[in-house]
Amino acid sequence: MTIRLAASAIDQAAALLRGGELVAFPTETVYGLGGDATSDDSVAAIFAAKGRPRFNPLIVHLSHASQAEIFAQIDSRAALLMQRFWSGPLSLVLRRAPLCPISLLASAGLETLALRVPGHPLALELLRAVGRPIAAPSANRSGRVSPTTADHVLSELDGHIAAVLDGGPCRVGIESTVIDLTGKTPLLLRPGGIAIEEVETLLGPLAAPSPKDAPRAPGMLASHYAPNVPLRLNATSIGPGEALLAFGPDFPSGAKEMRWLSKRGDVEEAAANLFGVLRALDRPEFTAIAVMPIPERGLGRAINDRLRRAATR
Ligand code: TXA
Ligand code: MG
């Protein structure tokens, strides 16, 4: 079902991505499961294809370092690292630019964004042909090891994505190093393809993330974006002053304001809308945001995980 595209079929791969489809592609580290980073629907489809029980923030891939400032705030440290290591296996977590067009779901609702310019000619050609930033986690099902050949990708994702662009085996074979530059001290979030020593030569010592940095550290995302207004989960009626986040065509009446996660009761559509509607309703005029029950199937599990974390802050 998933088509294997030859390296020469860049334009076909690019057209699929522009049309909102998912395409796995080679980078110098591992194969990425790519989707249009500016499309909530495409990003939701990435999580669905991976079978991720949680919305982990994804790395957004660019074709050139000069684009980074469109999406994120670049300080002198970031500029230094970008100049030295891009294109290459280094991802930088930065603050979003004020008008950043990248889906909030891509960064799991955070005000930050992980960016990288991959050091693989085919990946760069593809990114240029698409003309948009591409969100791409490693192209494996959740909990499996990262794929370094197109065959690995197909063995897990056949039928779940439109195509895989076959560029042969990946050169580096482990994922990019992830450095967080959103605080005063640079943090090493994930060791990877660029040696830490090389980064420290330029920046000085890197710190390890502490529990205090939980929102930034992979796997420690307990207090991700949480709204200021309390969330009330599994709501079947509306309390005084509450806003409603509805799922499905029928909903309780009486809310001060109402937004749909998905009118037709579709969990993937709900995932695509989740962070945007939470932000839209996060206003002090509401006593709480009442959230209707979301089924524990497919992306519903990740939505419920996220909602529980946001509610128990
Ligand atoms: O080498 C790579 O980086 C590969 C290729 C395809 O580029 N991609 C990759 O993506 O490994 P993924 O989604 O499997 O890993 C993303 C890592 C996670 O550990 C995630 O927590 C972290 O980057 N990350 C992404 N955005 C973040 C953010 N805004 N804040 C903190 N961590 C972030
Ligand atoms: Mg991965």
Side-chain angles (χ1 to χ4, degrees):
M1 272 179 80
T2 297
I3 27 178
R4 183 196 294 262
L5 294 174
S8 54
I10 296 268
D11 287 345
Q12 204 180 333
L16 286 167
L17 284 164
R18 274 199 304 271
E21 303 283 344
L22 304 184
V23 176
F25 63 97
T27 79
E28 80 282 29
T29 59
V30 301
Y31 274 72
L33 200 184
D36 180 350
T38 64
S39 158
D40 289 328
D41 291 337
S42 295
V43 174
I46 292 175
F47 286 107
K50 279 194 74 97
R52 273 205 177 163
R54 278 187 198 164
F55 298 123
N56 294 326
L58 307 177
I59 295 170
V60 173
H61 297 65
L62 309 175
S63 63
H64 197 272
S66 59
Q67 295 165 349
E69 65 182 21
I70 304 170
F71 306 109
Q73 301 174 33
I74 311 299
D75 64 11
S76 58
R77 302 171 303 177
L80 199 63
L81 293 182
M82 285 160 48
Q83 201 206 343
R84 173 72 183 76
F85 296 112
W86 283 4
S87 58
L90 179 73
S91 297
L92 298 178
V93 175
L94 304 166
R95 293 187 188 285
R96 277 176 179 257
L99 294 174
C100 178
I102 287 169
S103 162
L104 274 174
L105 185 60
S107 45
L110 296 169
E111 287 296 347
T112 59
L113 199 58
L115 294 179
R116 102 176 181 94
V117 175
H120 191 298
L122 210 52
L124 293 174
E125 257 188 84
L126 177 66
L127 286 160
R128 279 193 293 268
V130 176
R132 291 180 205 163
I134 296 297
S138 49
N140 50 281
R141 296 278 292 175
S142 183
R144 309 289 187 81
V145 296
S146 297
T148 53
T149 66
D151 283 339
H152 294 167
V153 175
L154 286 170
S155 72
E156 294 186 12
L157 293 174
D158 194 8
H160 295 276
I161 59 178
V164 55
L165 186 62
D166 191 345
C170 302
R171 180 169 58 80
V172 177
I174 55 165
E175 296 91 338
S176 61
T177 302
V178 183
I179 309 269
D180 182 326
L181 292 176
T182 59
K184 225 170 135 200
T185 310
L187 302 177
L188 174 67
L189 297 188
R190 180 176 75 181
I194 294 279
I196 294 152
E197 295 83 345
E198 283 198 64
V199 177
E200 291 190 320
T201 306
L202 290 181
L203 285 195
L206 300 175
S210 70
K212 205 163 68 12
D213 301 311
R216 286 179 253 164
M220 302 167 63
L221 302 166
S223 60
H224 249 172
Y225 174 71
N228 294 309
V229 175
L231 286 188
R232 193 167 65 78
L233 305 186
N234 296 313
T236 49
S237 60
I238 305 295
E242 284 186 340
L244 173 67
L245 213 45
F247 182 87
D250 305 315
F251 56 92
S253 59
K256 268 182 103 174
E257 188 170 324
M258 190 272 258
R259 300 277 172 130
W260 255 299
L261 275 169
S262 169
K263 187 172 180 176
R264 59 174 198 269
D266 177 278
V267 285
E268 214 168 305
E269 183 183 42
N273 289 329
L274 178 65
F275 293 108
V277 290
L278 274 180
R279 274 173 201 270
L281 291 178
D282 189 10
R283 307 202 305 266
E285 68 207 74
F286 304 124
T287 54
I289 303 171
V291 188
M292 287 175 67
I294 313 295
E296 276 284 302
R297 68 176 135 75
L299 287 190
R301 284 166 64 215
I303 294 171
N304 285 323
D305 169 80
R306 190 63 206 89
L307 287 171
R308 277 192 295 271
R309 286 155 190 274
T312 57
R313 188 171 61 125

